[in-house]
Amino acid sequence: MMKYCILLAFLLVTQNAYTAALLSHENSDPGVELTIRKMLSGPVVASIHASVEAPNENLYEPSEIYLSVEDGNRSWWVHTPDHFDSMDIVQFTNSSHLLIVLSTPTSTSTATLDLDDRTLSLIGSGIGEVISFNPEDPLIRLNGQRGYSGEVFLYSSITDIKGRVIEFLAGDGNCRPVSEVVAEGADLSRLQQSMDYCVGVSQ
């Protein structure tokens, strides 16, 4: 029961910023054998790497996942943050931020990595996609966000790169008021809807 409560509390957190775990000295690597999974070229070259899995086919051991960032003379690494098992790079939101998806076996969250100060900001649950590439104020749609009000439900919203909610999306079926959907402590300073606006939800 305690494990379930901790997991539930974690799923409902919508915003958190912390310093990314870094191996920051140049031309270094995590010290394990890696294979490249994905690469994006933009303001920097960002790549997702995975450690080579153990050869024992009867023993499941998840790979260690790393993000490498290369920018001219600068080269650094980020390990998958604590509480998550994997990460993937999605796209650049502008010239200074990279959209990242973090996952556990039971949940998915979206974060932005600030390429200047190397901070990782968790902006919400669900899988993010950039819907506006305005350099000053890019907007992100979070699909498949998880909420809980007696039971788990899914919804979608639009946020900025800091995780401030701008709009909750309507749906064709069931809906719940914003007051039931939004997690405690969420930043609603940019919200353009009333607290009784009916947000589209699904089970």
Side-chain angles (χ1 to χ4, degrees), residues 62-80:
S63 299
E64 292 290 313
I65 306 296
Y66 293 86
L67 164 67
S68 69
V69 178
E70 299 175 32
D71 179 14
N73 296 325
R74 184 174 62 161
S75 177
W76 44 282
W77 294 80
V78 181
H79 182 260
T80 304

Side-chain angles (χ1 to χ4, degrees), residues 25 54 95-96 99 111 119 177 180 184:
H25 44 286
S95 62
S96 60
L99 198 64
T119 56
E180 288 186 17
E184 183 178 353

Side-chain angles (χ1 to χ4, degrees), residues 41-197:
S41 294
V44 299
V45 176
S47 305
I48 288 290
H49 305 258
S51 63
V52 177
E53 296 183 2
N56 185 348
E57 296 179 0
N58 297 320
L59 178 63
Y60 173 72
E61 292 185 6
S63 299
E64 292 290 313
I65 306 296
Y66 293 86
L67 164 67
S68 69
V69 178
E70 299 175 32
D71 179 14
N73 296 325
R74 184 174 62 161
S75 177
W76 44 282
W77 294 80
V78 181
H79 182 260
T80 304
D82 290 343
H83 310 300
F84 295 99
D85 299 304
S86 187
M87 67 176 161
D88 190 20
I89 44 179
V90 181
Q91 60 193 125
F92 291 97
T93 65
N94 54 21
S95 62
S96 60
H97 289 83
L98 178 64
L99 198 64
I100 294 175
V101 170
L102 302 166
S103 59
T104 72
T106 59
S107 66
T108 303
S109 296
T110 297
T112 54
L113 177 65
D114 189 315
L115 300 169
D116 294 325
D117 65 14
R118 304 183 186 183
T119 56
L120 193 64
S121 298
L122 188 64
I123 62 174
S125 64
I127 298 176
E129 62 173 324
V130 181
I131 59 172
S132 168
F133 286 92
N134 180 336
E136 301 301 320
D137 188 24
L139 300 181
I140 298 166
R141 175 173 172 153
L142 296 173
N143 300 303
Q145 292 185 268
R146 286 175 178 251
Y148 184 82
S149 180
E151 60 185 358
V152 174
F153 57 88
L154 303 177
Y155 64 98
S156 298
S157 69
I158 296 173
T159 77
D160 61 17
I161 58 175
K162 297 296 185 183
R164 294 174 292 198
V165 183
I166 296 170
E167 179 184 350
F168 290 97
L169 303 184
D172 298 328
N174 297 328
C175 66
R176 294 174 184 262
V178 169
S179 57
E180 288 186 17
V181 171
V182 66
E184 183 178 353
D187 188 341
L188 302 179
S189 59
R190 296 192 63 182
L191 184 64
Q192 300 175 358
Q193 298 159 320
S194 66
M195 293 302 286
D196 60 359
Y197 176 84

